[in-house]
Amino acid sequence: MQAPLNFGPAERTPIQRQEIADRAMAITLEEERHAKAELLALYDQYVAGEVDLYAISIHVGEQTRQRLLALIAAGPTSS
């Protein structure tokens, strides 16, 4: 059984999730990890509202996980 998805107020729409996913991808690449097809697919699923960032965080290292959690807490930036 899949756990319920957990989206915060700043992650309600696909546009909000796209911005967060873009920033999360930048963090992942900055960590000198190359985004693999599986991770890219997870980001697409996040934007579609099918998984939350916790599901993505289990696929990355601890330092990146902490940065993703901070990203979740901060929400999207104002452009």
Side-chain angles (χ1 to χ4, degrees):
M1 181 164 108
Q2 182 178 345
L5 298 176
N6 183 17
F7 296 112
E11 302 174 89
R12 298 278 186 231
T13 70
I15 291 170
Q16 289 172 315
R17 291 191 298 270
Q18 181 68 59
E19 183 178 337
I20 291 172
D22 290 346
R23 291 171 49 213
M25 181 64 69
I27 288 171
T28 302
L29 293 174
E30 183 181 308
E31 297 291 331
E32 296 186 276
R33 290 179 171 79
H34 297 288
K36 296 181 181 178
E38 179 182 9
L39 186 57
L40 291 172
L42 282 171
Y43 282 134
D44 289 341
Q45 289 174 331
Y46 169 73
V47 172
E50 298 168 0
V51 299
D52 54 24
L53 282 180
Y54 177 77
I56 295 171
S57 75
I58 65 174
H59 291 275
V60 297
E62 184 61 31
Q63 182 178 11
T64 302
R65 182 176 296 114
Q66 293 305 317
R67 293 180 72 186
L68 287 173
L69 292 173
L71 177 64
I72 293 167
T77 59
S78 299
S79 296

